[in-house]
Amino acid sequence: MGSMSIARSLLYGFVNLLHPRMLWLMVWPMLISLAIWGTAAIALWVRTAVWLGGVLQQWLAAAPFVARFDLGDATLVAAHVVLFLLFVPLVYLTALFILGVFGMQAMVDQVARRSYPQLERRRGGGVAGSVWNGCVALAGMLLLGLASLPLWLVPPLWPLITVAILGWVNQRLLRYDALAEHADAAEMQRVFRGRRAPMYTLGVLLALVAYVPLVGFLAPVAFGLAFIHYLLGVLAAERAVPAGD
């Protein structure tokens, strides 16, 4: 299951957005998320940008080689950039959380019925596991954000840091619900351990696509379908191999 499998899964995800059930799932979680974070942005964006710009200016003023320059306007622009880099993932991650709770089962059923109708459902996961997985993803994102704080002092690294962290969070959020219905607990752990690189690649691609206008609106459902298609394919391939091989 290499890069071609990832490419096929992504193609599958975007093609199957045309199904009426997927179109509905694509719209309403994103609209709710946009309403939540759009309201927060209207209320807090300007004040937060001014505060963050002041913090950035204080940090830079502590560096001798920039202390003699007036960086007020530059730090304010930088603050807006940082807020934008944070706003986009907050919107689609919230949509992913909503999808995980209310829509992932429908997506799994859609993929399984079309592509893996014979795959046995061993139900190794459930609602409690999904909630716990979401909490772990959130905690991991916070820890990675804290660990990367020194790197945020280097502006060219900001997009790279954001994408690197969100790549991990995305795959963590999507992988559990993709397999919970069909794999048992041991199979889930084995697949997750053995497919870290492809899952992270899909997670990074989702983080990048989310910033593309309009296309980013489709990303949560498209990549949810891609994760399901890819991981069910891995599970089916593993089960097809005799136990002794």
Side-chain angles (χ1 to χ4, degrees), residues 10-241:
L10 282 171
L11 180 61
Y12 178 94
F14 278 97
V15 168
N16 280 270
L17 288 175
L18 301 177
H19 191 280
R21 292 179 73 188
M22 299 303 107
L23 285 172
W24 177 233
L25 283 175
M26 179 181 67
V27 171
W28 73 265
M30 185 63 79
L31 289 179
I32 291 175
S33 182
L34 281 170
I36 293 170
W37 291 109
T39 301
I42 291 171
L44 302 172
W45 187 288
V46 174
R47 281 180 289 175
T48 305
V50 170
W51 171 80
L52 185 58
V55 171
L56 290 173
Q57 191 168 10
Q58 289 177 359
W59 283 354
L60 291 173
F65 60 92
V66 295
R68 63 181 179 275
F69 296 108
D70 181 7
L71 297 172
D73 291 339
T75 54
L76 185 59
V77 171
H80 284 289
V81 172
V82 170
L83 288 179
F84 175 74
L85 289 173
L86 296 176
F87 177 79
V88 171
L90 283 173
V91 170
Y92 83 77
L93 285 176
T94 302
L96 281 183
F97 273 112
I98 296 171
L99 275 176
V101 176
F102 298 104
M104 203 66 168
Q105 185 60 56
M107 294 163 66
V108 170
D109 289 341
Q110 171 81 0
V111 176
R113 186 173 63 251
R114 288 192 167 200
S115 301
Y116 305 100
Q118 305 304 319
L119 191 62
E120 179 187 357
R121 299 187 182 220
R122 298 181 180 175
R123 296 178 173 85
V127 175
S130 181
V131 172
W132 173 250
N133 182 67
C135 292
V136 171
L138 178 60
M141 180 174 66
L142 294 175
L143 289 174
L144 289 170
L146 290 173
S148 66
L149 277 178
L151 299 177
W152 284 85
L153 294 173
V154 185
L157 294 180
W158 293 349
L160 299 178
I161 298 168
T162 305
V163 169
I165 293 175
L166 292 174
W168 181 85
V169 176
N170 291 337
Q171 62 85 30
R172 181 80 200 201
L173 281 174
L174 289 169
R175 70 184 193 182
Y176 181 90
D177 291 314
L179 280 186
E181 179 72 11
H182 287 80
D184 60 36
E187 287 175 323
M188 291 174 72
Q189 292 303 316
R190 186 167 62 250
V191 171
F192 295 159
R193 283 197 304 269
R195 306 292 168 171
R196 286 193 180 97
M199 289 190 302
Y200 185 72
T201 299
L202 281 172
V204 167
L205 290 174
L206 170 54
L208 291 170
V209 170
Y211 287 96
V212 180
L214 297 180
V215 178
F217 195 86
L218 317 176
V221 174
F223 277 83
L225 290 169
F227 262 89
I228 295 166
H229 188 270
Y230 175 75
L231 290 175
L232 289 186
V234 171
L235 181 64
E238 289 199 355
R239 287 184 184 173
V241 177

